[in-house]
Amino acid sequence: MNRFGRMAIASLAGLLGVAEIARAEAADATAGGAAQAPDTACVGRAVETIQRRYEAVRDLSADFAQTTRSVALGAPGSAATSRGTVVFAKPGKMRWAYDTPEPSLVVSDGHWLWIYDPLNREVQKLAVGDGFLSGAAIQFLLGAGDIRRDFEVTADACSDAKVELVLVPRRAASYEKLRVRSDPATGELLETTVVDLLGNVTQVAFSRTRTNLGPADELFRFRAEPGIRVIEIEPPTRNSP
């Protein structure tokens, strides 16, 4: 996996709140610089519309385009873009299949998380617990989140034509804030943008979204074929520095 592929996976880890992979220090997030809500009533309606939609969704499938801007690349305009498909299913199941610029896979059955690099025939395996999927960035997609409970909410834009919310986590997380663009009428998420504690930005645009298709449980498990190296990552202890 080249550096752009590794960066894309690391940025996705930050979006998910995977502490060990992202290796970000937990810190109190603040809402400094967040835009003031243009219409408090509109923001309230938008939050309720999004919340109702994802409480009613059992599973979700979509195409995605992920663009990552990393401070490690130096130039402010440097970015890496990857594309693929994603499937979520409640509770806690997900499958991110990257097609371009190179194949890779991130999959979880709610108990284990696998990150597979087919070019190197290597998979990292992590137990899902308090130390890992701890970020609230997509918890409501996985059936375990509440926007008002988990975030301070403001808006960059809110109207019948456009909804762009700014969500700052109320508790320490591996990211500073999350921006979401949604369909004003249905609450469907069209785009998420995560800014992590280091200033890296990960934008994920969703298209061709389908819901309640009933994906098989096997889709969210990884079976290591002979010859694939399995690396088990131990969760950090609470007393780790």
Side-chain angles (χ1 to χ4, degrees), residues 9 32-33 44 53 72 96 107 110 139 145 150 162 193 223:
I9 294 296
R53 173 176 174 79
W96 297 79
V107 60
Q139 282 186 345
D150 297 335
K162 186 177 185 180
T193 301
R223 307 291 184 186

Side-chain angles (χ1 to χ4, degrees), residues 68-105:
T68 303
R69 293 177 176 83
S70 172
V71 295
L73 291 181
S78 298
T81 300
S82 51
R83 299 178 185 276
T85 58
V86 63
V87 183
F88 297 106
K90 297 178 181 179
K93 301 172 185 176
M94 62 183 180
R95 180 185 181 92
W96 297 79
Y98 288 80
D99 299 324
T100 61
E102 57 189 19
S104 56
L105 179 67

